[in-house]
Amino acid sequence: MGLDEVLLLKRETLSIIKEAKTRYSQARVKEILSDYRLAVESREASIIGRKEVFMGKAKFGIFGDGKEIAQIAMAKVFRNGDFRAGYYRDQTFMFAIGELTVQQYFAQLYAHTDVDADPASAGRQMNGHYATRMLDENGKLKNLTDLKNSSGDISPTAGQMPRLLGLAYASKLFRHNPQLQSLTHLSRNGNEIAFGTIGNASTSEGMFLEAINAAGVLQVPMLTSIWDDGYGISVPQEYHTTKSSISKALAGLQRTETEKGFEIMTVKGWDYTALIEAYEKAERICREEHVPVLLHVEELTQPQGHSTSGSHERYKSKERLAWEVEYDCNRKMREWIINEVMVLPEEVDSIEKEAKLSAKRARDLAWKAFMSDITMEQIFVAQTIHEAASDIPEKGELEEVRTELDRTINPTRLDTMKAAKKAIVLLRNYRDLPSRLRLIEWVRESDKLNYDRYNSHLYSQSDASALNVPHVDPVYSEDASIVDGREVLQTCFDAALQRDPRVLAFGEDVGKIGDVNQGFAGLQQKHGELRVTDTGIRETTIIGQGIGLAMRGLRPIAEIQYLDYFIYALATLSDDLATLRYRTKSGQFAPLIIRTRGHRLEGVWHAGSPMGMILHSLRGIYVLVPRNMTQAAGFYNTMLQSDDPALIIECLNGYRLKEKLPDNIGEFTVPLGLPEVLRQGEDFTLVTYGSMCRIAMEAARALDAVGISCEVIDVQTLLPFDIHHTIVDSVRKTSRVAFADEDVPGGATSFMMQEVLEVQNAYQYLDSKPITITGKPHRPAYASDGDYFSKPNVEEIFEQIYAVMHEADPQKYPSLY
Ligand SMILES: Cc1ncc(C[n+]2csc(CCOP(=O)(O)OP(=O)(O)O)c2C)c(N)n1
Ligand SMILES: [Mg+2]
């Protein structure tokens, strides 16, 4: 090439560069490079994270690689006051909104139990589960409109969707209910978007489809991004989705000129500029118009496969793997930066180098911080054991324990605890040895710390805990009216709606007709459609709606029509609501009240009392089982003052029974965990709750007639259970006990028995075997006879208790048959 030709080429190149430079301002180029730097750092964090797991420094890893650029684009339209409900791939988004540092990301991978180190879960959740801290140290909601909020992730696929619906629905209420406008720490005129993220395969879940349909019906600002990488673990798209495309499958939701619906959009996950445009458009529609948007982000990849368990080479073809390399979003962005933005490759290289170094530094800092306490404890215990060994003749075994501890690579707390406990066993005969006493003190101190680290905050520990709500007795004037039970509730709900604009109720048939049993009769007309509202038939998202609203500072009462249909909502209750406070170590709460009705009525699906199932799946939610509507009203009043969630199960057969209406219907409270003795007795203690109370009382009267004095105790709340351990006092007196309910054998009666005999030590006062009186192991049959022969009845209770008395004193109580 001659000199002239070289000069010509150079001039041409320069002019292209010049043209490109004018296309992107300096500020824009800076932003692009900063975005790219973040994408590279996030990718590096994924790569290092995987290595940390393989080196044994963490148990398991799941990473957001292959989804970086789309998340950076999404973060650009995520404003203060907005909410995210997403899943484990969202690390880049969390970095981009400034709510996660790379160091915190690694701290979670290691399970660092310090809240500052891992603000999302304080080491309680596996990596990739993000959450911001919405509560202050006193357990009060912060000013959420000043914050970028991420609701706490859960692992079950699509489990975030019901909650997402509620987070979005809150914006609608804040915008349209003028009574809420003064709550400026919670919302600015409902301008907040709820951003959802979900994997392509998880859109097959019922929860996704239920939530999407409900969002279209409700017209809420819900912007759902689907990260489509073509797989759900090893299973390719054609197994998951009709037409292999969720945007195609859901096309009928698209709004038109005349019909409301969704805005459905698709975009390639490696196309930086298209992504930014898509999110800008989606944001506008969602924020301004309150129209839900579904953004299908296609052609994403999984550079390292699904997670650290297993490699994707096992199930992806060579062609697919090659395509994933070529269409890697970070690689595509690099090419675009060099080819279109005209940044020199060397400059891009140096950005990459610096970003990677930064991720490594963050890893080092996180590991050092994580290990510092653990190492100190390890050294202390090892030294103390060594000292003990030098003081006693049989030092060999102790030294073995110490050397084993010393040699542990990447020691954890349990290694040190195990060593200390082994040493304490070996030192059991050296009572006053100072090193033994120091080890014991260390174990006791560690137990306290570990309780806080691993077991605390299942329920609220704040001043507003349900257990701290002041007790106010109901007051009755002399001429107090006697009304149907349902009217007691209706008056209570009316007072609650009047008292607090944040209170609202919704569920199937709750709005127009005021629920199927008339507890809200007339209250929609009085308080408006936004306060007392009908919903579709969609139990799991009714609960999600409540969770999201409660997280955003409102006081929802979500109704599940019958206890039998509660099972549809159980996953959301158990996975999301029950774990929320625990999994964020009080970083978040959702003081949702779930109202339902159950126990005795008719037939297989209208009489259920699956209390064991509920008790065992809902720890973290209080479970209240009022025997009548006055007790129920008192529980509503208590819970509305507290920051805990609760399930209140009303008695299906109690709405038309007469009760006295308290004068202070809106103020009186029923405390949690205080059983009530309904009838004093000397010979036998019968412990029960709910609809069974009336049957138990009748049985007790029948027993009285044959000389058996039966004390009847209504536990009132199953969770918490008898917090002051009063039932044992009754057993001490009677020395005989039965636990009765309508659940299956071994259900909630066994729970009560364990509480009283084991926790309260009532076993030592027993003169006869303790018994449970329960329903049959099947669901109850229909009609009065079906009920009688499926559930415990007066005669059965009588006979079972009589049989115990007969065994104790056959002469006094001759056999009946
Ligand atoms: C309810 C439930 N079922 C199964 C799993 C196990 N699981 C975890 S991730 C996953 C695949 C999810 O695929 P996708 O939604 O496409 O998200 P991706 O991991 O591909 O981003 C499965 C089956 C789970 N976590 N939850
Ligand atoms: Mg996928």
Side-chain angles (χ1 to χ4, degrees), residues 166-179:
L167 292 169
Y169 184 60
S171 290
K172 179 169 175 166
L173 295 177
F174 282 117
R175 187 170 286 182
H176 296 288
N177 179 358
Q179 290 170 299

Side-chain angles (χ1 to χ4, degrees), residues 95-170:
F95 294 143
I97 62 167
E99 287 301 328
L100 179 74
T101 65
V102 182
Q103 186 175 336
Q104 287 167 343
Y105 169 85
F106 282 110
Q108 189 180 48
L109 186 73
Y110 303 137
H112 195 152
T113 52
D114 191 319
V115 167
D116 294 324
D118 169 21
S121 71
R124 291 177 177 196
Q125 288 230 66
M126 62 166 53
N127 89 311
H129 290 69
Y130 304 111
T132 53
R133 300 200 75 77
M134 298 185 197
L135 303 180
D136 64 21
E137 319 71 68
N138 300 319
K140 298 251 182 318
L141 268 184
K142 297 177 183 170
N143 184 338
L144 300 180
T145 58
D146 282 347
L147 300 173
K148 296 201 161 73
N149 305 292
S150 171
S151 62
D153 292 354
I154 60 176
S155 300
T157 49
Q160 68 275 29
M161 295 301 298
R163 171 175 11 105
L164 174 66
L165 177 74
L167 292 169
Y169 184 60

